[in-house]
Each structure stands twice: as structure tokens, then as C-alpha cells.
Amino acid sequence: MRVDPDGLENLPQRARVADIARAAKVSTATVDRVLNRRPGVRDATAQKVLKAAAELDYLPETGLYAALAAAPMRLGFLLPDGNNRFIRMLGDTVGYSQEHLAPFNVKCRSEQFESFNPQQLAARLLRLGERCDGIAFMALEHPAVREAVALLAEQGVPTITLISDLSGSRRAAYVGLDNRAAGRTAGYLVGRFIGPGARAGKVALIAGSRSYSAHEEREAGFLHVIEEMFPALQVVGLREGHDDAQKNYTQTRTLLEQYPDLAGIYNIGGASDGVARALKEMGREHKVVFIGHGLTPDTRAMLIDGSMDAVITQSPQAAMMSCVRIFTNLREKRDAMLGVDPAKTLVIFRENLP
């Protein structure tokens, strides 16, 4: 107790940092780091400091709980820019879902890199790794990207490949469709939709870029099914549209002019609206079977008007949540895929639109 100049007794003074340091048998610098949640203190030492602070009534109960709570895990989602509406939807999902992620104690942010630029992707991965505890990204097949993932792994920053995987890399997990199976599904749909009356017709493929392993795998699956089940159909090659609506439009116009008997188109990547616009302009929208990827407002409209026959898709919300669960498992030293369901391949037609 102390007495003020008027002789009135006051309550005991609040404990000081030095008192906590003395009780916990640590330095005042260590106490300061623990109470301000700075790195560099072992868990056991931090617990001693917090216990001493509680016994000395240094922290109110709510403050003690805050000090004991782990800092939110900082997660980055690195996605390509451009006109792929499904990718944009995924980025938007990361942005507006923060309040639903409270139970996981994470903070997510979405950033973009220049599409089909592996050097920029590698550089952005390393920069993002300086301020994030985990990164999910759509991978490009390139040694520079593989090396960036390896460097991040050495630094203790886990990465997850999203939608398109990275072969032979040190990524922690892959979240996305079985792309070879997705391509096989597309091939089966094209062959069945064309039917017996046009089994000698021609079919074409349009991809974003072969630099995505997802697009290579979808192409391989598609070609395998056509060869296996519909050998009379002739595949007239693969064009790259870089997920750009205008380029896909130009590629489709060229295909339709070069092959008047074209019976089917499989758009492996995004920007299906460019393909549909060319089909409509040439009056072929109900004559050429058209299969694509990613349920978005534009592909939904194309299904409804009949210019598109089927969309192979997955849930962007489910993909994001799978990434969060995997990073949470890694933080808690559990198996990465514990409680994480494989991505479901959804095939959407006009008649089963959700």
C-alpha cells in the first residue's frame, strides 16, 4: 500500500514488466516480446510469462485470452489476371468470405499476376512469401516457378497449387479437378452429342495455353476417349486462345471457315463467350456441339440459349475452403488432407442449372 499527500490509502500499484520478468525468471525484453506478440520466444517461455502476468493481475481476463491466442494465419491466393471469369469469381470469393473464415483464425488476400508469365509468377510468389504464412496459386509449368516453390518450402512457407498442378515440385498439396478425367468427360460428351449421324465429322480443341498442366491433361484425356470410343471422329488440332474472348472468337471463326463440316468444339480453358459469338455469327450455334469449362454468368447464359451444350465445372467456394483447411492442418501439424474432400467434377446442362 502507499499513502498519497492527503493521507488516503490507494489500491496496490499495477504490476510492472519488471515484476513479471522477476516472477517468470526471464528478462524484461522477453516479457516485452511475449506481451506484444513478437517472434523469437519459445512456446514454453511464453507460457511462463503469461502465467506470471495472470497471477500478478497484469492483464484483464479478455486481454490474457488475446495474448494466448495465436496470431491469424496470413494466406495469399495468387491468380492470373485476364478475362477468365471463373478465375475472377474465385478471387472474388476469397475477398467476400473473410467473415466465414473466423473459426479457422486466418486472414486471406487475393492478388494477381500476368497470365502466362512464369517469371513474373515466380517473382510474385517469393515476394508474397515475405508477408504470408501460406500461398495458394494457379501454377504454370516452368523451372522458375518450380524453383520459387522450393525456396518457399525451405523458408517454411507452404504452397498449394490451385486448378492447375506443378509436376515434380515441393508444393504441399493440389486442389482442383482430376483434369485428365475432366478431358475424358468432355470427349465422351462431344462424341455422344454428335451421335451416330455424324460420326465421320471433325472436332477441334481450343486451350488457354499448354503452359498450364491442367490444359495438357484435359487435352490428353479428351484425345484418349475420342480414339478409344469414337475413332471415326477426326480431331483437327488444338488452337491456343490464351483465355481471351477475342482470340477465341478469331480461332473459332478460322476453324469454321476451314472446316465446314466441323461437328464439335471443346474449349479447354476460359473465355467461352468468344467461341459462342463466332458460332452465332455464322449460324452454327445449334449445329456444332460446344463443351467448355467453368460455370459463370456468361456460360450460364450460353447454356440457356443453347449455344453451349455442357459446362464442366467445380465450386470456387469449395476450392477456397479446401485450401484454408489444408493450411490449417499444416499449422496444427496434422496430415495436410485430413478432412479435405477431393474436388467434385460437376457437369452442368441447361436442364440442371443450379
Side-chain angles (χ1 to χ4, degrees):
M1 295 287 183
R2 66 180 175 86
V3 180
D4 67 13
D6 296 322
L8 298 176
E9 288 187 349
N10 292 323
L11 292 175
Q13 285 186 316
R14 182 188 182 194
R16 299 168 301 171
V17 168
D19 299 324
I20 299 170
R22 193 178 305 111
K25 298 180 180 178
V26 298
S27 69
T28 55
T30 298
V31 174
D32 180 72
R33 280 198 292 270
V34 172
L35 296 181
N36 289 287
R37 297 168 71 173
R38 297 192 184 97
V41 182
R42 292 183 302 171
D43 289 344
T45 303
Q47 292 297 324
K48 284 170 56 179
V49 170
L50 291 171
K51 181 180 178 182
E55 290 173 348
L56 293 169
D57 292 326
Y58 182 84
L59 294 172
E61 187 175 10
T62 54
L64 181 60
Y65 287 152
L68 286 168
M73 185 164 47
R74 302 162 300 168
L75 303 180
F77 286 75
L78 190 55
L79 304 170
D81 61 10
N83 298 321
N84 190 314
R85 287 178 175 83
F86 184 82
I87 300 300
R88 293 215 303 265
M89 283 175 58
L90 179 56
D92 291 342
T93 299
V94 173
Y96 68 63
S97 296
Q98 190 58 49
E99 62 184 58
H100 302 295
L101 300 176
F104 295 93
N105 193 27
V106 300
K107 287 187 177 180
C108 298
R109 60 187 296 161
S110 175
E111 297 188 6
Q112 294 182 320
F113 67 92
E114 183 183 338
S115 295
F116 314 110
N117 186 332
Q119 284 80 15
Q120 190 191 86
L121 171 57
R124 292 293 302 278
L125 280 168
L126 293 175
R127 273 206 307 275
L128 199 55
E130 295 174 359
R131 59 184 189 275
C132 285
D133 303 306
I135 304 170
F137 71 106
M138 188 168 170
L140 288 165
E141 277 286 352
H142 194 276
V145 180
R146 202 170 288 108
E147 180 64 16
V149 169
L151 289 172
L152 289 171
E154 292 291 339
Q155 295 165 12
V157 180
T159 56
I160 295 174
T161 50
L162 185 59
I163 300 176
S164 190
D165 204 1
L166 183 62
S167 62
S169 70
R170 294 182 61 183
R171 53 83 168 151
Y174 163 67
V175 171
L177 299 180
D178 178 335
N179 285 299
R180 188 173 291 270
R184 289 182 61 87
T185 300
Y188 180 79
L189 289 171
V190 166
R192 296 292 291 177
F193 267 74
I194 290 174
R199 282 189 175 163
K202 296 179 175 64
V203 295
L205 300 92
I206 297 176
S209 171
R210 284 192 172 107
S211 58
Y212 285 126
S213 66
H215 291 196
E216 279 193 323
E217 291 164 6
R218 291 172 189 176
E219 177 191 3
F222 181 91
L223 294 176
H224 190 215
V225 164
I226 295 298
E227 181 181 356
E228 175 188 341
M229 299 184 65
F230 310 102
L233 285 176
Q234 180 186 354
V235 179
V236 294
L238 180 140
R239 311 292 181 94
E240 291 189 353
H242 292 123
D243 287 349
D244 180 84
Q246 183 59 39
K247 290 179 181 178
N248 280 358
Y249 166 80
T250 302
Q251 295 284 23
T252 305
R253 289 273 313 196
T254 301
L255 285 166
L256 293 171
E257 291 166 358
Q258 187 173 358
Y259 304 105
D261 59 343
L262 190 71
I265 294 176
Y266 172 35
N267 183 26
I268 294 175
S272 287
D273 51 330
V275 178
R277 179 157 66 95
L279 289 172
K280 290 174 182 176
E281 284 187 6
M282 300 189 72
R284 304 288 298 279
E285 70 269 27
H286 300 300
K287 299 175 183 177
V288 175
V289 174
F290 177 27
I291 309 295
H293 280 266
L295 184 62
T296 60
D298 61 323
T299 55
R300 185 184 186 91
M302 286 180 261
L303 287 172
I304 291 172
D305 69 21
S307 57
M308 199 169 191
D309 294 287
V311 171
I312 301 168
T313 193
Q314 59 184 307
S315 165
Q317 293 85 0
M320 182 202 68
M321 289 306 303
S322 291
C323 291
V324 170
R325 288 190 175 94
I326 291 169
F327 283 127
T328 302
N329 285 337
L330 294 172
R331 177 182 61 189
E332 302 299 329
K333 310 300 183 185
R334 298 189 294 253
D335 178 80
M337 303 306 293
L338 181 66
V340 179
D341 295 326
K344 294 181 180 179
T345 302
L346 306 174
V347 182
I348 307 298
F349 306 96
R350 183 176 66 177
E351 305 305 326
N352 71 338
L353 275 166

